[in-house]
Amino acid sequence: MAPREMVHKSNSSLIHESATSPSLTSVPIKSSSPPPRSSSDSLGRSSTSRRRDSIPITVERKDTLSTIPSDVASLVEPSFDENVLRALCEIDCGVPLLLDRIKQSMVSCREASVFFKKRAVLEEEYGKGLQKLARSTSEVYSMNDGKAGSFVHAWQSSMKLHEVMAENRIRFSQRLNEMSDELASLAKEVDKNRKQTKELASRYERALQEAEMNMEKSKARLDVSSEELERVLLQKEGESFNESAVQAKSPGVLGGKRALGKAVAKGGLLLKGKNPGNIQRQEDDIRSRVSSASDSYRKAFTDTQTMRQEYFNFQLPRILRALKECADEIDLGTQYHLTRYAFLFESIVLSDGSTLVPVSPDEGVGLKALIESIDNRADFKIYMQNYAYARGGGVPRGPRREGPAEEGFLPPLPTFSGGHTAQPPHMANNGAHPQILDRGRPTFGVDLAEQMARDNVEIPQILEKCCAAIEKYGQYSQGIYRISGMARKVNLLKERLDKDLESVNLDSDEWTCDINNVTSVLKLWFRELPDPLLTLGLHQGFVDAAKIENDRLRHIRLHERVNDLPDPNYATLKYFLGHLHRIAQCEADNSMSLQNLAIVFGPTLFGQISGNGSTSGHVNGGMADAAFQNKAIETILEHYTDIFVDESDSGA
């Protein structure tokens, strides 16, 4: 029986040997192979192969695959296919097939690693460049004489948004570098394991080939000795020595004629005397050699058979399993990192989108909303007031506007409105707007405490009247308080309220058709207070409290400043901020968050002061604190219940 046929008697022998061998278990990899581990474990520990110099040699390898989380298991299934292992054992080229496959996988893995590295360089350059641009732009603008007010807040906030996106790109670059390094380490370690397993397989093959050659040599020696014994026996019995008969009876690896020629040449010398005693001694000597050659051949045959069984039934499946696991390891590792790259790439794009357009108000204000918060009209009005105040005390520039008639000055020209000459107050009377009698109880430009004491009220009447109309008709209006009304309508409503506040009906269609006229009048009333609502004396205290970084401490200090307000100012502030708090609760409809309302009313409630402490001061005085004014109003609105409602409830 041929050696290979003795090993492969049936297809079930391999499975039986694998199942019954104490050192080899033919079970799925889920139970015999270690579970996937994290990337840090893969990079921190190197794969080892423990081998014995003597046959058999066992191979033990550690997994180098980066972690495949449970949620990715559906994408890359790590189970081992035993049917593939059986198919590889049945073919003669199983080992070189897997070695070549691992080579291809390593090339793919290295290409992915190189791509991640190059992409990381691009992302890092983009992120750092954008970060540098945003920071330098913000610093340069703060040092230049650019526009202030709502524009500077929107501009600086947009630069911060760019910094956030730049930081996201830099973090993305760091993740790409990590994945590139992990893939490079994985390819290096798999290549090392491949070479070790290839060397191990070569050692087994060389050992089996040497055993087969030794067996063939032992068989050739046995054939020669058997032919000599047969020749002696023929001479002893007196039979003719027939070359063809001997040749027919002794087929072997060596040619029959060649072996017979050697036997005749060797035996011819021994049988020259044809002495029966000599023949007997020769027979005994040849029988001894035949017995020794037979024992040697039997031992070589048994060793070779055992080695074949050891190789094909035990070591070859283990080598193929090790190579297949190596191939699966690098394939799954590459696929995992590509999946991770796709997830990170998607996340960075979504992060940029959510930064530009936040999903919820808690995530901040988006870029578009910041740009829309710029109120050029209000900024210009404040700038114009500050500019006029700053130059009002100096020497007049240009021609004089007014003067005595004897010096040649003319009376002021009448103003035109809608194509008709505007008449003096005592003559103004048209069909659309009937004349309103002045009751002598002005509202605009009057000290807050004076008008409240005069009217004997706890809350200014104009504030109650306007807030009620705004909540009734404009609470859900888009951009309420941010959008200004028509200048002509605003001036007309101001005039009517200033002359006879009680006679003005804000529920009429004239004012409800555009509620922004009412909001503009209310803001104008706050701005024309001789002493701002938050008072000049407490202005610096509010600003210093707003500069505190700690949210809780800033809240406490602002609460203290609010409590320091005079009683009329405190009551007015409590009522008005309660109104704004209700407006902010409808942010989903009117797009006016607490931050947007604070931007609108920061300069209005604080007033603009100059270095000497007077109201409506120089732009470089009060406008420099605009951001902290807004922050103070925003913080008070955020903690409105803690500052006002709880206090009044406890007092009750």
Side-chain angles (χ1 to χ4, degrees):
M1 182 180 295
R4 191 170 183 85
E5 294 176 355
M6 289 187 293
V7 177
H8 299 282
K9 294 180 180 180
S10 64
N11 293 335
S12 62
S13 62
L14 176 61
I15 304 173
H16 177 71
E17 287 289 337
S18 300
T20 58
S21 175
S23 58
L24 177 64
T25 56
S26 177
V27 292
I29 194 170
K30 288 182 180 179
S31 59
S32 63
S33 298
R37 61 173 193 271
S38 64
S39 302
S40 59
D41 293 339
S42 172
L43 296 177
R45 296 180 296 179
S46 60
S47 174
T48 59
S49 298
R50 295 182 296 176
R51 298 182 294 176
R52 295 180 296 175
D53 295 332
S54 59
I55 298 175
I57 301 174
T58 59
V59 181
E60 295 185 5
R61 298 173 55 255
K62 291 184 179 179
D63 191 8
T64 58
L65 180 61
S66 300
T67 296
I68 301 178
S70 57
D71 57 346
V72 191
S74 59
L75 300 176
V76 283
E77 181 62 34
S79 61
F80 190 84
D81 192 354
E82 295 293 337
N83 294 326
V84 174
L85 179 61
R86 295 189 184 98
L88 290 171
C89 291
E90 293 295 333
I91 61 178
D92 294 333
C93 59
V95 173
L97 181 148
L98 288 175
L99 291 175
D100 291 342
R101 179 62 176 178
I102 294 174
K103 270 188 177 181
Q104 293 179 349
S105 299
M106 286 193 300
V107 171
S108 302
C109 181
R110 290 191 177 105
E111 286 297 323
S113 175
V114 171
F115 170 76
F116 290 160
K117 183 67 70 174
K118 292 182 178 179
R119 179 68 190 274
V121 172
L122 294 177
E123 293 293 339
E124 184 177 11
E125 291 177 354
Y126 172 75
K128 290 184 177 179
L130 181 60
Q131 187 180 58
K132 182 179 179 181
L133 174 63
R135 290 178 177 176
S136 62
T137 301
S138 178
E139 293 174 358
V140 169
Y141 190 87
S142 62
M143 293 185 293
N144 291 337
D145 190 16
K147 291 202 303 182
S150 60
F151 179 85
V152 67
H153 177 267
W155 180 258
Q156 299 292 4
S157 299
S158 65
M159 292 300 104
K160 290 186 179 297
L161 287 182
H162 284 81
E163 287 188 35
V164 171
M165 292 190 293
E167 291 173 358
N168 291 338
R169 293 290 179 170
I170 293 175
R171 284 195 295 269
F172 181 45
S173 171
Q174 294 173 352
R175 299 295 180 274
L176 289 176
N177 277 320
E178 292 174 2
M179 291 193 296
S180 176
D181 295 339
E182 289 176 6
L183 282 179
S185 300
L186 176 63
K188 182 178 179 181
E189 194 166 357
V190 168
D191 187 30
K192 176 183 176 182
N193 292 331
R194 173 186 173 276
K195 290 179 180 179
Q196 291 177 348
T197 308
K198 179 181 179 182
E199 180 183 358
L200 179 63
S202 300
R203 290 178 57 189
Y204 276 120
E205 291 177 0
R206 288 196 301 270
L208 182 58
Q209 290 173 359
E210 291 175 359
E212 290 178 349
M213 291 178 60
N214 291 333
M215 186 187 70
E216 294 296 339
K217 291 179 181 179
S218 299
K219 187 175 183 300
R221 288 194 295 269
L222 178 60
D223 290 341
V224 171
S225 299
S226 299
E227 291 171 1
E228 290 181 3
L229 179 59
E230 185 175 1
R231 181 186 58 76
V232 170
L233 292 177
L234 290 176
Q235 290 295 331
K236 182 178 179 181
E237 296 174 1
E239 298 178 0
S240 60
F241 196 80
N242 191 321
E243 178 182 353
S244 62
V246 175
Q247 180 180 359
K249 291 180 181 179
S250 56
V253 177
L254 299 178
K257 291 184 179 180
R258 181 181 176 188
L260 180 60
K262 291 182 179 179
V264 171
K266 185 181 294 184
L269 298 176
L270 296 175
L271 299 177
K272 283 184 179 180
K274 294 185 180 181
N275 189 322
N278 293 336
I279 293 175
Q280 185 64 39
R281 286 193 298 272
Q282 292 176 7
E283 179 182 354
D284 295 340
D285 181 60
I286 293 174
R287 284 184 183 276
S288 176
R289 292 203 306 270
V290 169
S291 177
S292 176
S294 177
D295 293 341
S296 178
Y297 173 68
R298 186 180 297 106
K299 183 178 181 304
F301 181 82
T302 303
D303 292 344
T304 303
Q305 184 181 18
T306 303
M307 190 171 295
R308 282 201 186 99
Q309 292 176 350
E310 173 80 12
Y311 177 72
F312 287 105
N313 290 353
F314 178 62
Q315 298 299 345
L316 180 60
R318 288 183 66 87
I319 292 173
L320 293 175
R321 177 186 288 273
L323 291 175
K324 185 63 170 65
E325 288 178 353
C326 204
D328 291 344
E329 184 177 336
I330 191 169
D331 289 342
L332 293 178
T334 304
Q335 186 175 0
Y336 164 72
H337 283 291
L338 290 175
T339 304
R340 185 183 175 193
Y341 164 74
F343 172 76
L344 290 175
F345 193 13
E346 178 182 353
S347 299
I348 195 65
V349 174
L350 293 177
S351 177
D352 288 347
S354 62
T355 302
L356 294 174
V357 186
V359 179
S360 63
D362 297 337
E363 298 178 1
V365 184
L367 183 60
K368 182 180 178 182
L370 283 174
I371 303 303
E372 291 177 348
S373 68
I374 299 176
D375 191 346
N376 290 317
R377 182 180 299 177
D379 290 348
F380 182 76
K381 288 181 179 179
I382 295 173
Y383 174 75
M384 183 171 60
Q385 294 172 0
N386 295 333
Y387 192 90
Y389 177 83
R391 297 177 179 270
V395 179
R397 297 182 182 181
R400 293 171 59 188
R401 182 181 298 273
E402 298 176 354
E406 57 271 14
E407 295 182 7
F409 287 94
L410 298 176
L413 295 176
T415 58
F416 290 87
S417 176
H420 299 280
T421 303
Q423 301 294 330
H426 63 278
M427 299 178 61
N429 185 12
N430 53 44
H433 305 294
Q435 182 179 1
I436 298 178
L437 296 177
D438 189 351
R439 299 179 59 183
R441 300 169 66 90
T443 302
F444 289 82
V446 179
D447 183 76
L448 182 63
E450 291 182 6
Q451 60 178 296
M452 291 175 65
R454 180 196 65 193
D455 299 335
N456 193 22
V457 294
E458 295 182 357
I459 304 297
Q461 292 180 336
I462 185 174
L463 182 62
E464 289 183 320
K465 195 179 191 73
C466 292
C467 288
I470 293 169
E471 291 183 16
K472 186 175 181 179
Y473 300 106
Q475 191 167 2
Y476 303 100
S477 177
Q478 185 76 18
I480 189 69
Y481 280 117
R482 187 175 63 195
I483 301 176
S484 301
M486 298 176 59
R488 183 175 63 84
K489 285 283 188 180
V490 171
N491 292 330
L492 177 61
L493 180 58
K494 174 191 173 183
E495 179 184 358
R496 291 188 175 188
L497 291 172
D498 208 27
K499 289 182 177 181
D500 189 359
L501 187 148
E502 296 179 356
S503 66
V504 177
N505 181 18
L506 295 181
D507 292 325
S508 64
D509 295 339
E510 181 180 7
W511 309 118
T512 58
C513 64
D514 188 1
I515 199 64
N516 294 318
N517 295 324
V518 180
T519 61
S520 297
V521 166
L522 183 58
K523 290 188 290 184
L524 185 60
W525 176 76
F526 277 114
R527 286 197 295 267
E528 291 189 2
L529 288 174
D531 190 19
L533 183 62
L534 298 180
T535 73
L536 297 176
L538 295 176
H539 180 277
Q540 192 59 40
F542 277 104
V543 171
D544 293 340
K547 292 180 180 180
I548 299 175
E549 296 291 339
N550 185 274
D551 294 339
R552 179 60 181 166
L553 184 58
R554 182 172 66 250
H555 165 210
I556 294 174
R557 293 292 178 264
L558 287 173
H559 193 169
E560 294 173 352
R561 300 290 80 75
V562 169
N563 291 338
D564 293 338
L565 288 170
D567 291 341
N569 299 62
Y570 181 89
T572 303
L573 180 66
K574 176 182 176 181
Y575 182 87
F576 182 61
L577 292 189
H579 162 70
L580 294 184
H581 195 267
R582 291 188 291 274
I583 294 293
Q585 291 177 347
C586 302
E587 178 188 358
D589 298 305
N590 57 36
S591 300
M592 291 302 292
S593 62
L594 295 178
Q595 184 181 22
N596 291 339
L597 291 171
I599 293 174
V600 173
F601 283 100
T604 301
L605 300 183
F606 276 97
Q608 299 302 313
I609 64 172
S610 64
N612 57 13
S614 60
T615 186
S616 298
H618 193 273
V619 66
N620 291 331
M623 292 304 293
D625 296 331
F628 300 111
Q629 295 173 0
N630 299 342
K631 189 64 177 180
I633 299 299
E634 181 181 357
T635 303
I636 297 174
L637 281 172
E638 288 176 351
H639 302 282
Y640 173 79
T641 303
D642 298 333
I643 296 176
F644 295 105
V645 177
D646 289 347
E647 178 182 332
S648 61
D649 290 344
S650 62

